[in-house]
């Protein structure tokens, strides 16, 4: 179906999300550090990027801003998946350029629907 760049610093969350995506027919590129995500996004041109918010070195919000500000990655849709569940967090994520904001925990169906809608 599509290639998804998954940016998640928590190994168990990474495994769970990757499993959900693979079962949905997607190819997954795993990255645990946001700074590596910029390089992977530029070089591999994934169809969608999924990122956590709270990560060491750079938040998912900062990553989103950086990717949306770079000509090579500006048009790649970004989905934020976070445990930050306040409306202000969702609004801030969308303001940074995210196409969708999912609050953890989410179902496999919710994740794959978000990916499909982000690419539409």
């Amino acid at each position: 179906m599509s290639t998804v760049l998954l940016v998640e610093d928590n190994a168990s969350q990474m495994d769970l999300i990757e499993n959900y995506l693979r079962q949905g027919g997607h190819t997954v590129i795993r990255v645990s550090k946001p700074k590596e995500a910029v390089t992977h996004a530029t070089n591999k041109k994934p169809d969608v990027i999924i990122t956590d918010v709270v990560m060491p070195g750079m938040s998912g919000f900062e990553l989103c801003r950086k990717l949306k500000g770079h000509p090579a990655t500006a048009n790649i849709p970004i989905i934020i998946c976070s445990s930050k569940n306040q409306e202000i967090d969702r609004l801030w994520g969308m303001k940074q350029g995210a196409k969708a904001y999912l609050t953890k925990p989410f179902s496999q169906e919710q994740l794959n629907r978000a990916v499909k809608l982000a690419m539409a």
Side-chain angles (χ1 to χ4, degrees):
M1 266 183 105
S2 63
T3 300
V4 179
L5 176 62
L6 175 57
V7 189
E8 173 64 65
D9 64 321
N10 178 293
S12 61
Q13 283 290 309
M14 173 85 81
D15 291 343
L16 177 68
I17 297 169
E18 179 183 21
N19 186 41
Y20 282 176
L21 292 168
R22 288 193 189 280
Q23 287 181 15
H26 304 285
T27 300
V28 180
I29 302 168
R30 295 168 54 120
V31 177
S32 61
K33 295 182 175 99
K35 290 180 181 178
E36 292 174 9
V38 175
T39 304
H40 281 292
T42 304
N43 295 338
K44 305 219 185 226
K45 303 280 193 289
D47 299 300
V48 179
I49 297 168
I50 297 177
T51 184
D52 187 14
V53 170
V54 180
M55 297 180 288
M58 181 189 305
S59 76
F61 295 138
E62 292 173 284
L63 175 61
C64 192
R65 257 194 322 272
K66 184 171 264 209
L67 292 168
K68 288 300 175 182
H70 193 289
T73 56
N75 294 322
I76 301 172
I78 299 171
I79 299 170
I80 294 176
C81 294
S82 178
S83 57
K84 294 174 72 66
N85 62 1
Q86 300 297 309
E87 181 64 10
I88 191 72
D89 298 316
R90 187 188 71 74
L91 291 171
W92 186 245
M94 302 306 272
K95 188 169 177 76
Q96 305 314 303
K99 193 95 175 210
Y101 190 102
L102 288 178
T103 302
K104 295 175 184 174
F106 46 81
S107 69
Q108 179 177 350
E109 180 184 339
Q110 289 170 315
L111 179 63
N112 282 300
R113 187 176 338 117
V115 171
K116 183 177 179 180
L117 290 173
M119 293 189 312

